[in-house]
């Protein structure tokens, strides 16, 4: 039972370190493009 608990704690720690590493090193910035659309206003 103690071995299972150690493995579970190890997996949680490794998962947390991986998540933090991905948050700092992963490039999640979206590609930015200019969007322009003409608009015709119907003014009376």
């Amino acid at each position: 039972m103690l071995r299972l608990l150690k493995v579970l704690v190890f997996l949680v720690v490794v998962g947390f370190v991986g998540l933090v590493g991905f948050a700092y090193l992963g490039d999640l910035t979206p590609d930015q493009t200019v969007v322009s659309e003409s608009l015709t206003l119907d003014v009376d």
Side-chain angles (χ1 to χ4, degrees):
M1 190 68 169
L2 186 61
R3 182 183 294 176
L4 183 64
L5 184 62
K6 285 181 181 180
V7 169
L8 184 63
V9 168
F10 175 74
L11 288 176
V12 168
V13 169
V14 167
F16 182 73
V17 169
L19 183 66
V20 169
F22 181 73
Y24 278 114
L25 301 176
D27 186 18
L28 298 176
T29 56
D31 296 332
Q32 295 182 354
T33 59
V34 176
V35 177
S36 85
E37 184 175 334
S38 61
L39 179 66
T40 305
L41 295 177
D42 197 18
V43 180
D44 291 328

